[in-house]
Amino acid sequence: MIFLFLLGCSVRPLYQTGHGTAGGVASGIDVDVIAEREGQKLRAYLIDTLRDISISPKLAHRHFRLKIDLSSSEKQYAFSTDGNAKRLKFSHVAHVVLQDENRKNLLDREISVYVGYNISHSQGEISLSIYGRNNETLLKELANKILENIKMVLENEG
């Protein structure tokens, strides 16, 4: 019984944020929880890459909060004469807000990435359902674009 009690002492909330926790990284940027499965993956990529950001000594004592609303969409295009689409554009759009400790918005913009798929035959539809909607490469590209924007803002702040 005591073992179970002591085991519970080391348990921390999964989505706890703050400097030095699961959402906080060495750069002083806390990443808020992002909804849905794709959002969880994007958040993990961001936390991993934010660890490598070196900020100026002026900003070392400051804390920032990163909030992201992620949405995804599919759009058919390149229609053939029979009315069926030959291609599909899949995109992720992230509304990114970076705030300082005074809740002043340093960055507030939409960043998007997209990829096109050939779906003109049944094999294309099958491969899209297997690989297209679970495209982690697209989420990594989005994380890198978000990171580039954050770096530019922090360089201007410092």
Side-chain angles (χ1 to χ4, degrees), residues 38-117:
E38 288 85 14
Q40 294 172 7
K41 289 179 184 179
L42 177 63
R43 182 174 185 263
Y45 296 143
L46 286 170
I47 289 173
D48 286 343
T49 54
L50 284 171
R51 287 187 186 120
D52 299 331
I53 288 182
S54 60
I55 59 174
S56 72
K58 287 182 180 179
L59 300 176
H61 66 283
R62 294 180 61 187
H63 296 284
F64 303 95
R65 178 167 299 277
L66 181 63
K67 298 178 183 181
I68 298 175
D69 288 326
L70 182 65
S71 62
S72 303
S73 67
E74 294 179 358
K75 183 178 180 182
Q76 296 179 347
Y77 65 100
F79 291 94
S80 63
T81 56
D82 63 357
N84 291 324
K86 291 185 175 186
R87 303 220 17 108
L88 181 79
K89 177 182 173 183
F90 184 79
S91 62
H92 288 296
V93 178
H95 181 245
V96 180
V97 177
L98 180 68
Q99 295 178 332
D100 64 4
E101 61 271 359
N102 298 323
R103 296 189 183 225
K104 176 186 170 193
N105 286 356
L106 304 175
L107 174 67
D108 188 354
R109 74 170 44 156
E110 287 191 349
I111 301 171
S112 63
V113 292
Y114 66 91
V115 66
Y117 294 105

